[in-house]
């Protein structure tokens, strides 16, 4: 990698963020595409967020990625936010378009790009949880024309999630149902008629927990995905594989949401195949 007076900067901004593998992905992309850029991780306090966003313009940066806890609080500091990011209520990518700062959310697109030979249009899906990543996937599925989405959430967050899904449903043509995760019979019923089951919760990051009861049966035609990428095979995916269904972990979503951001910044396609091979070697 050559750094000179023409090198442009991009960064991921969050707290904590030093563990991020985004610099590995983007710097490999810069190098392999010949783009004169460098990508770093900035761990900042919320008090410094406004100044950090202003510096995108000052330093003529490509832009920034955002992770927790800044995906929502960054929005007032931007000039514009895309309709999809507005629906999600979160921004994970800021693009510096000739001094104009535009907020995008590439998580949902990245997720569906990571699914092998799968098209959501006209199909039904079950989403476990309704946090940031889950909401991004739900919005993208609705924009891509999925027929119905069954969102299973805990009773404690039922009212909040119901309001959010109502807002998304009003802006799309997709029917979204919010259902209690505690109702195992209803969960089984909706899985039986769906083409895709997604764990959008953090359950499984400890390598132990399952987001749903192990007594649930999975149709062989079902595709099962997890947004978690560490561990590479979560207990949820291991359990699903035991029922002989196709599974996808969250590493692909991480790569392809980065690819979307890279394209927005540079206009170039990220060499995802080569970077995926390096990621598998590093994290599998």
């Amino acid at each position: 990698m050559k750094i000179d007076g023409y090198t442009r900067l991009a960064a991921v901004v969050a707290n904590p963020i030093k563990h991020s593998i985004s610099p590995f992905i983007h710097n490999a992309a810069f190098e392999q595409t010949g783009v004169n850029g460098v990508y770093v991780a900035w761990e900042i306090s919320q008090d410094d967020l406004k100044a950090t966003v202003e510096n995108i313009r000052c330093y003529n940066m490509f832009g920034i990625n955002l992770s927790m806890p800044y995906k929502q609080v960054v929005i007032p500091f931007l000039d514009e936010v895309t309709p999809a990011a507005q629906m999600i209520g979160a921004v994970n990518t800021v693009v510096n378009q000739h001094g104009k700062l535009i907020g995008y959310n590439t998580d949902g697109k990245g997720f569906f790009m990571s699914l092998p030979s799968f098209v959501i249009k006209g199909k039904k899906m079950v989403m476990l949880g309704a946090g940031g990543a889950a909401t991004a996937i739900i919005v993208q599925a609705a924009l891509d024309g999925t027929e119905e989405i069954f969102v299973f959430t805990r009773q404690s967050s039922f009212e909040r999630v119901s309001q959010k899904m109502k807002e998304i449903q009003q802006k799309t043509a997709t029917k979204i149902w919010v259902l209690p995760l505690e109702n195992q019979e209803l969960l089984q019923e909706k899985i039986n008629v769906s083409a895709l089951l997604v764990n959008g919760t953090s359950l499984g990051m400890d390598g132990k927990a399952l987001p749903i009861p192990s007594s649930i049966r999975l149709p062989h035609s079902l595709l099962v995905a997890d947004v978690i990428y560490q561990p590479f095979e979560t207990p949820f995916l291991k359990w699903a594989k035991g029922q002989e269904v196709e599974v996808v972990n969250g590493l692909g979503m991480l790569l392809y949401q980065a690819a979307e951001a890279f394209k927005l910044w540079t206009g170039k396609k990220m060499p995802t195949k080569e970077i995926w091979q390096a990621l598998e070697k590093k994290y599998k």
Side-chain angles (χ1 to χ4, degrees), residues 120-123 140-147 174:
I120 192 63
K121 186 175 182 180
K123 296 173 183 173
Q140 193 60 47
L143 292 172
D144 288 348
T146 188
E147 184 186 339
T174 297

Side-chain angles (χ1 to χ4, degrees), residues 153-159 179-182:
T153 187
R154 298 281 179 197
Q155 201 66 50
S156 56
S157 57
F158 201 86
E159 190 175 329
L179 305 165
L181 189 55
E182 294 84 358

Side-chain angles (χ1 to χ4, degrees), residues 186-242:
L186 189 58
L187 177 59
Q188 182 70 73
E189 177 190 316
K190 298 309 180 187
I191 286 174
N192 288 346
V193 298
S194 296
L196 176 64
L197 168 64
V198 184
N199 175 32
T201 76
S202 60
L203 287 172
M205 290 182 78
D206 60 358
K208 297 174 184 177
L210 276 175
I212 56 176
S214 60
S215 55
I216 293 288
R217 298 294 93 195
L218 305 177
H220 290 311
S221 59
L222 190 71
L223 176 61
V224 176
D226 204 323
V227 299
I228 297 168
Y229 62 89
Q230 285 184 295
F232 192 84
E233 184 178 77
T234 61
F236 178 63
L237 296 185
K238 188 175 182 180
W239 164 76
K241 278 173 73 174

